[in-house]
Amino acid sequence: MKYQIGSENRPLSVAIIGSGPSAFYAAGDLLNRTELNVQVDMFDRLPTPYGLVRGGVAPDHQRIKNVTKIYERIASLPQFRFWGNVNFGTDISREEILKHFDCIVYAVGAKSDRQMGIPGEQLIGSYSATEFVGWYNGHPDYLDAQFDFSVEKVAIIGMGNVAIDVARILAKTPEELASTDIADYALEALKNSRVKNIYVIGRRGPVQAAFTSPEAKEMLELEQTEVIVDPEVLKLDGASQRFLDTTKNRDTVRTMEILQRIAGTEPEGKPRQLHLMFQYSPLEIYGSNERVSGIKLVKNKLVEGEGGRIKAEETGIIEELPVGLVLRSIGYKGVALPGVSFDEREGIIPNHNGRVVDERTKEICSREYVVGWAKRGPTGVIGTNKPDAIETTQHLLEDFRGQTAEAPEELKRESIEAWLKSKKIEYVTFEGWKRLDQHEIDEGAKKGKPRQKTTKIEDMLKIIK
Ligand code: NAP
């Protein structure tokens, strides 16, 4: 017997892979439709939900993390279920999901990092910001990472918000970090840090810096770190000045004002210095005995390229910066999922406004959708994911509107749990996560922290049980 998909007898069943912001915005939009009966099952390879809100957002940005209250409300809806500790590709496959659900929404983000393609990137002491951020945030993938803070000079390549997060964590004192939810082992390691100079290196000028004004402002609030900007570099070239005079982006104007303030501030003699170095490109990371000892940079000038975009052009002036640690923060990159279409060059799941496209045939892959960084690449803040996810869910609903289908056994709610059980997967439900969440909050309260993160998966599972 056939029913209308989305009716009382035949709900529209959606599997979402990943549980970060884009996953929750997609779930929220699907479940908030009164005219449709939709069931959402969200899977994550970790026992914990929230993706980059837990594993990426800086530990001293607790206010940003409050967004999880919205996700909790979505998770409390009766048609929502969370299955943590379930890995797509090993525990469950694309084919199995397509058997048990009407469709899949991939919300897997961009878990790797872009490479610069310069010599020395693989030396000991050169790491991606992805690793460093995952490490200080207690992400189970990065618990074994090691960073040598006995060095005095650190270079951070790139001038986005991630680069500034990384610089700030290195610049803050243990006392400033103690009231955050930074991983315990990271706080311990940073207590012994001998880092004195942090160089954040941007290939273009201050007007093109990718970090935003709140992050710029925070640099001024560092207790023991001076921020250094060469006033000369704020004397803008014609094209940057024209852009600044005409831009509707108030944030760029505000950032420039803050940089002017920094450049005009007399140093107070604080023990650490954070140098914002504009118009330098890295040419090589060099070292001895396989270990980083410095970075070779070329000074750039700014030229107007196609469509008015301001590009960096090498001047040929080479400078060497002796550093013992290099953190590369030039953007995240997506990783292919087993059996799922993937665009290697862009590092995304190819799609037409959220409908997955077969990379080879360029045809739409019916019943497969994508949201977030896996859809558009690693850009935008948490809020950017809401309209992005809704664009996808609108198309998903359009595709199923008016369709009829049978209500086979394997699509039923009970069958999903039976299927996971039959595979002996030690899954974690949302209630299970809430137990761990409460445990972390309680443990954190004892130390005056918002939470004490559990970092090992086996420990998480023990607490949940
Ligand atoms: P991003 O904003 O794209 O910044 C990447 C930086 O790397 C840019 O300065 C870029 O310079 C530079 N870069 C790229 N390729 C390079 C190369 N080959 N050599 C030297 N420099 C290179 O990326 P992100 O910092 O990873 O952040 C990702 C997204 O998350 C962003 O949208 C960001 O705003 C967001 N985020 C937000 C927050 C927050 O709201 N607090 C915190 C963290 C992240 P060009 O501009 O010249 O390309």
Side-chain angles (χ1 to χ4, degrees):
M1 181 162 168
K2 286 194 168 182
Y3 306 92
Q4 188 94 14
I5 297 182
S7 63
E8 202 48 45
N9 294 327
R10 177 59 175 82
L12 169 65
S13 65
V14 182
I16 300 183
I17 313 301
S19 64
S22 65
F24 271 98
Y25 291 124
D29 187 52
L30 290 169
L31 294 173
N32 277 325
R33 296 183 174 264
T34 43
E35 78 281 11
L36 273 180
N37 184 5
V38 185
Q39 284 175 359
V40 169
D41 285 65
M42 191 179 278
F43 296 85
D44 200 294
R45 69 191 176 94
L46 294 181
T48 53
Y50 307 144
L52 278 183
V53 178
R54 180 174 168 101
V57 171
D60 58 345
H61 278 175
Q62 288 300 316
R63 243 183 308 154
I64 295 181
K65 294 185 190 229
N66 280 339
V67 71
T68 57
K69 300 242 161 60
I70 297 171
Y71 308 155
E72 274 182 13
R73 275 204 293 280
I74 295 168
S76 70
L77 296 169
Q79 304 287 71
F80 175 95
R81 289 189 302 188
F82 174 71
W83 306 105
N85 203 34
V86 183
N87 196 6
F88 181 95
T90 53
D91 292 329
I92 54 172
S93 69
R94 169 183 170 275
E95 289 68 30
E96 284 174 306
I97 299 174
L98 286 172
K99 202 172 108 197
H100 283 283
F101 294 89
D102 287 312
C103 59
I104 312 181
V105 178
Y106 302 107
V108 292
K111 104 184 185 34
S112 187
D113 57 288
R114 288 183 51 213
Q115 299 283 303
M116 289 189 293
I118 61 169
E121 258 179 288
Q122 307 311 328
L123 287 174
I124 300 166
S126 157
Y127 308 101
S128 68
T130 318
E131 289 169 88
F132 186 57
V133 170
W135 174 77
Y136 66 60
N137 274 327
H139 190 295
D141 285 359
Y142 302 101
L143 304 185
D144 297 331
Q146 297 219 331
F147 304 93
D148 181 2
F149 304 119
S150 69
V151 303
E152 291 200 356
K153 295 179 177 177
V154 181
I156 300 167
I157 315 293
M159 270 212 185
N161 279 328
V162 172
I164 301 303
D165 281 352
V166 164
R168 211 178 49 253
I169 297 301
L170 288 170
K172 283 197 167 178
T173 61
E175 293 72 32
E176 283 174 292
L177 292 172
S179 57
T180 73
D181 66 355
I182 190 167
D184 257 4
Y185 57 74
L187 183 60
E188 278 311 306
L190 287 164
K191 270 184 190 162
N192 301 319
S193 167
R194 292 173 58 194
V195 172
K196 283 207 170 65
N197 287 284
I198 303 157
Y199 303 91
V200 182
I201 300 167
R203 61 180 170 183
R204 298 191 288 157
V207 174
Q208 295 81 35
F211 60 80
T212 41
S213 64
E215 280 65 28
K217 192 161 162 281
E218 272 178 295
M219 288 191 263
L220 283 169
E221 293 154 11
L222 293 167
E223 280 175 17
Q224 294 297 326
T225 302
E226 213 101 67
V227 187
I228 315 281
V229 175
D230 176 2
E232 281 304 305
V233 87
L234 299 182
K235 292 178 184 157
L236 299 180
D237 60 291
S240 295
Q241 188 63 55
R242 271 197 308 283
F243 176 85
L244 194 65
D245 292 341
T246 53
T247 183
K248 298 209 165 44
N249 186 346
R250 288 301 304 159
D251 195 71
T252 309
V253 177
R254 270 197 296 275
T255 303
M256 263 314 276
E257 287 165 1
I258 295 166
L259 292 173
Q260 298 281 8
R261 253 173 75 195
I262 294 174
T265 306
E266 277 299 312
E268 294 172 49
K270 292 180 181 175
R272 274 188 185 146
Q273 301 198 319
L274 193 168
H275 308 257
L276 294 177
M277 292 176 64
F278 294 99
Q279 292 176 226
Y280 284 96
S281 282
L283 292 179
E284 180 187 345
I285 301 169
Y286 57 85
S288 55
N289 297 330
E290 298 298 309
R291 226 165 241 288
V292 170
S293 61
I295 182 159
K296 194 188 274 181
L297 303 168
V298 59
K299 183 83 186 149
N300 293 329
K301 63 181 181 199
L302 298 175
V303 293
E304 212 167 333
E306 256 174 61
R309 188 176 193 271
I310 295 176
K311 294 192 306 181
E313 201 174 271
E314 295 181 7
T315 60
I317 301 167
I318 310 279
E319 289 180 29
E320 286 191 5
L321 187 65
V323 290
L325 184 61
V326 174
L327 297 167
R328 311 177 311 262
S329 182
I330 63 163
Y332 287 80
K333 192 166 190 257
V335 174
L337 290 177
V340 180
S341 181
F342 192 66
D343 177 342
E344 283 291 347
R345 209 174 65 90
E346 298 295 326
I348 59 165
I349 297 176
N351 66 92
H352 283 163
N353 305 323
R355 289 181 174 111
V356 174
V357 169
D358 187 307
E359 184 58 2
R360 281 171 298 121
T361 64
K362 306 296 173 208
E363 281 175 14
I364 297 280
C365 305
S366 68
R367 303 168 61 206
E368 289 179 88
Y369 302 86
V370 59
V371 292
W373 280 6
K375 170 187 176 184
R376 64 176 193 275
T379 59
V381 293
I382 292 172
T384 315
N385 291 298
K386 191 169 180 183
D388 170 285
I390 291 175
E391 179 192 54
T392 297
T393 46
Q394 299 272 358
H395 287 138
L396 185 161
L397 294 171
E398 220 170 80
D399 293 347
F400 283 94
R401 188 161 298 136
Q403 279 205 38
T404 55
E406 288 176 355
E409 207 50 44
E410 57 264 28
L411 248 67
K412 300 227 165 92
R413 287 206 104 192
E414 316 77 71
S415 306
I416 308 298
E417 190 159 13
W419 161 53
L420 295 174
K421 276 195 174 133
S422 74
K423 303 196 79 170
K424 310 243 177 314
I425 297 170
E426 203 176 338
Y427 57 77
V428 171
T429 61
F430 204 75
E431 293 69 40
W433 148 248
K434 287 301 293 172
R435 276 199 293 283
L436 175 62
D437 185 34
Q438 195 55 52
H439 171 87
E440 291 187 343
I441 293 170
D442 293 345
E443 289 301 304
K446 293 180 192 162
K447 296 184 179 173
K449 300 165 63 162
R451 75 171 58 236
Q452 167 82 31
K453 274 188 183 167
T454 312
T455 54
K456 287 191 187 139
I457 291 182
E458 68 216 58
D459 293 343
M460 294 180 189
L461 296 178
K462 264 189 220 146
I463 295 163
I464 289 165
K465 268 187 181 161

